[in-house]
Amino acid sequence: MKQFLQIALGILSAIGGFVDIGDLVFNTQAGATFGFQLLWVVVVGVIGIIVYSEMCGRVAAISKRPVFDLVRERVGFSAGLGTLIASEIVNLLTCAAEVGGVAIVLQLLSGLPYRYLILLGVIGVVVIAWVLPFEWLERLFGYVGLGLLVFAVAAIKVHPHWGSVAHGFVPGMPAHNHAVYLYFVVGLLGAALTPYEVYFYSSGAVEDGWGAKDLRINKITSVIGYGLGAFLSFALMIVAAVLFLPRGIDPQFLGTPALGAQEALGKVGLILALVGILFAVGGAAIETSFSGAYNVAQFFGWQWGKREKPSGAPRFALSWIIIFVLALGIVMTGYDPVKITEYSVIFSVVALPLTFLPILLVANDPTYMGRYTNGRISNALGIVYFILILVIALSAIPLMVITNGGQG
Amino acid sequence: MLARTLLALALAAVLLAGCGSQTLQQQSKSLKALAAEGGLLAGNAARGRSTTVFTREHAGFLLKSANSSASALARATSAKGRQLAQVAVRIQNDLERLQRSGSDRAEQQRLQTDLERIARKL
């Protein structure tokens, strides 16, 4: 039971990070556009995020310092500042998208006007984040977000052709639409490898007081948490491939994945899907705002942490509230949160190398890590993924322009 | 320096990606998607597998998108464009009726049939 509660950090990171609004949108669109053909990308993405999360969890456990603290020290002020700005833009855009997502789901559940719900949603999330201790935030959003498992049941109920599903795990290229296909490859990898997940995860590890004795739980948490996220991504893609692709449905709305659960499981499926999505995007909103506040506080050397009372870390508390206020301002302009999501995912792809390189460098540095530096397998995977990250970072913008944001 | 260049490129991409206008073929594809999704939603509502609130609100999102397609197509001058504009208006009407259908299952059934027919034809 204790271990079950301990892996809540990984589950929250996975539910709120791996299956946030970006994944809901990209996985459903990918399934509706290319059927099962992009399932392999989720596998590539999840291995990458497991490798880097394990690394930054280990760094946090051994050095007792979170990633951004070390980024500045390792790469210097200028490069660190560049990374900080890029990360904050991604965090803010993602937080805005998640806040908009919370309001949309509340609208689909209650029928109240969207603009009131944006305000209500932000106030609700801020109050919850203010009142609940860190471990209860992890548990509430992580475990209630498990309502998303309804998509796994739906994926079975829609009776996919399992041979074709298995074939989707083999990388390949479709006969046509190459540019759009590659855009989705980049988008799915970007949605899986979002920088805020690793910042939140490493700061969370420090908040949870991890040490060398917790390295095993770090490994388990990364694998189970993100593995679960990948499992849910498969389910979303399978449901979309079976229900939406043959009908020509192009999922542009947050309610569309829920419609898939409804078609497979009726009213109960619909409600569970909406509640799961609500807690997943709500958790992600908190993660992104905290992640933004962690980064700023750690970069400038302020007192930080949710475990601190707000009076003990006032600038940290003010930072995450400011991020919510700015996100509220963005969503209140009326810009579609799903579109914000698509842009934030592409932005995050561009910022990825700036996030992952310092982690790789620090995890290899015996000054920080002592005997816990990367082993051969971690290093090989870390380097391979870093090269992959560079490739997708360079191709993200050209693909976005060529495909008109995936429209073809 | 690298971060600033990457950010500038990303901003330019967002602007460029947002500037593209849809061709008639893309409009037709969008309308087909809206009609198909509306048909699926109406079908679930007709079978009592949806909540009244979800049907109304999701139909509202679809309608908003149909409205913007209809406005764009209203300016079309080609025969194909005018034909699509008529289809867009029909989808708009169906989605409006679905939004107001409450628990009228017979109406929802009729709308499912019509929206699915439109989606098949596009």
Side-chain angles (χ1 to χ4, degrees), chain A residues 100-147:
Chain A
V102 167
I104 290 173
V105 180
L106 287 174
Q107 186 184 355
L108 293 171
L109 282 165
S110 70
L112 293 170
Y114 175 62
R115 278 179 180 270
Y116 293 131
L117 290 171
I118 298 172
L119 199 60
L120 196 72
V122 169
I123 292 170
V125 172
V126 168
V127 169
I128 290 171
W130 184 275
V131 171
L132 288 186
F134 191 79
E135 58 268 32
W136 278 103
L137 288 175
E138 292 170 353
R139 289 168 196 169
L140 175 69
F141 288 95
Y143 293 127
V144 184
L146 287 177

Side-chain angles (χ1 to χ4, degrees), chain A residues 248-313:
Chain A
I249 292 174
D250 176 21
Q252 297 290 330
F253 311 96
L254 197 51
T256 311
L259 186 60
Q262 180 190 53
E263 174 69 11
L265 298 159
K267 219 177 267 189
V268 174
L270 172 69
I271 304 285
L272 282 174
L274 288 175
V275 171
I277 294 172
L278 178 66
F279 278 82
V281 294
I286 292 178
E287 270 188 44
T288 47
S289 70
F290 275 21
S291 177
Y294 284 139
N295 294 352
V296 176
Q298 289 159 13
F299 185 82
F300 290 109
W302 302 340
Q303 195 65 28
W304 63 273
K306 179 72 176 84
R307 289 196 190 282
E308 295 281 345
K309 283 187 176 158
S311 57

Side-chain angles (χ1 to χ4, degrees), chain A residues 107 256 262-263 267 404 408, chain B residues 17 26 37 44 49-50 57:
Chain A
Q107 186 184 355
T256 311
Q262 180 190 53
E263 174 69 11
K267 219 177 267 189
N404 191 21
Chain B
Q26 285 167 329
E37 192 166 344
N44 276 310
R49 294 167 67 85
S50 185
E57 299 301 326

Side-chain angles (χ1 to χ4, degrees), chain A residues 82 85 89 107-111 247-250 253 255-256 259 262-267 270 347 350 354 397 404 408, chain B residues 3 6-7 9-10 13-14 17-18 26 33 36-37 40-41 44 47-51 53-54 56-58 61-62 65:
Chain A
I85 293 169
I89 291 174
Q107 186 184 355
L108 293 171
L109 282 165
S110 70
R247 291 176 167 92
I249 292 174
D250 176 21
F253 311 96
T256 311
L259 186 60
Q262 180 190 53
E263 174 69 11
L265 298 159
K267 219 177 267 189
L270 172 69
F347 262 120
V350 175
L354 303 169
I397 291 171
N404 191 21
Chain B
L6 290 173
L7 277 175
L9 283 170
V14 168
Q26 285 167 329
E37 192 166 344
L40 189 63
L41 179 65
N44 276 310
R47 283 179 286 147
R49 294 167 67 85
S50 185
T51 64
V53 173
F54 181 77
R56 186 183 68 226
E57 299 301 326
H58 195 58
F61 284 113
L62 297 174
S65 188

